[in-house]
Amino acid sequence: MDLTSYAELAVLLINSPDRLTGLDGLRSLLEEGRRYRPGCRITRGDLDALRDLREELVTVFAAAAGGDEQDVVDRLNSLLIQHPVQPQISGHDGERWHLHLTEGGRMADQYAVGAVMGLATIVTDLGVDRLGLCQAPPCRRAYLDTSSNRSRRYCSERCASRANVAAYRARKKVNGQ
């Protein structure tokens, strides 16, 4: 079972604080993360819980960006205790039987279980250094580095281009050109 898509839920949540201002924004976030089903009930409690989870996940990525592996592991272990996994076999949309990490509980619980378990799997399979915060100032969006050579440093091509152009201009200025 590839849990990278679950880990991407954590990145989506961290990078979407503007969507956590109301239920419509939360619904949009859940739709983008493919976690919303029509008729699914989302509440203010879900919104509050995901705001809290977002803050905790930000500290996980900050610890990873700072190279503090033990802090990352401690924080993820704490989140795994708070959000226990309850795997279930599921079949839907014409797909073969497959595992879902949780089907029960409120929407925020389902989202949290996926995000936290996905990050735990990335950390244990690939390493803490695969969790990052964009290095293009002033951006501090989260990303997962799933590259084969562990080279990702930016959240998007846009930030990478902006940082490269800024570095080029700085070099030109230093060289008097």
Side-chain angles (χ1 to χ4, degrees):
M1 177 178 193
D2 178 24
L3 295 179
T4 302
S5 65
Y6 281 105
E8 289 169 353
L9 293 174
V11 172
L12 178 62
L13 185 62
I14 291 169
N15 293 341
S16 301
D18 55 319
R19 293 190 184 169
L20 298 177
T21 58
L23 294 179
D24 288 338
L26 176 56
R27 187 173 293 108
S28 169
L29 175 101
L30 295 171
E31 286 171 352
E32 184 177 340
R34 298 186 190 139
R35 294 294 175 257
Y36 181 79
R37 293 177 298 279
C40 180
R41 184 170 182 259
I42 56 172
T43 67
R44 282 253 169 241
D46 290 317
L47 182 60
D48 293 340
L50 288 176
R51 282 180 185 150
D52 292 343
L53 177 63
R54 180 187 177 279
E55 294 307 314
E56 292 183 68
L57 292 174
V58 166
T59 63
V60 170
F61 274 77
D68 193 342
E69 288 188 20
Q70 188 62 55
D71 191 30
V72 170
V73 170
D74 290 345
R75 289 177 183 280
L76 284 175
N77 278 334
S78 176
L79 287 168
L80 286 168
I81 291 167
Q82 291 174 44
H83 306 286
V85 177
Q86 300 168 349
Q88 293 183 349
I89 299 171
S90 182
H92 55 83
D93 302 327
E95 292 183 34
R96 294 179 32 169
W97 293 114
H98 58 280
L99 281 177
H100 279 229
L101 295 179
T102 187
E103 292 287 324
R106 64 185 180 168
M107 180 54 68
D109 295 330
Q110 293 176 32
Y111 195 101
V113 165
V116 172
M117 189 64 194
L119 288 178
T121 301
I122 293 287
V123 166
T124 57
D125 287 353
L126 302 176
V128 169
D129 61 340
R130 296 305 186 110
L131 310 182
L133 294 175
C134 186
Q135 294 181 3
C139 184
R140 294 296 285 170
R141 292 172 54 94
Y143 65 85
L144 295 175
D145 182 1
T146 56
S147 66
S148 59
N149 61 359
R150 300 175 186 251
S151 62
R152 187 164 178 185
R153 298 293 171 255
Y154 305 102
C155 68
S156 65
E157 287 296 321
R158 181 177 179 208
C159 277
S161 293
R162 190 178 62 209
N164 288 332
V165 167
Y168 172 76
R169 288 180 179 158
R171 283 192 306 273
K172 270 185 84 170
K173 188 175 184 179
V174 167
N175 294 331
Q177 297 177 356

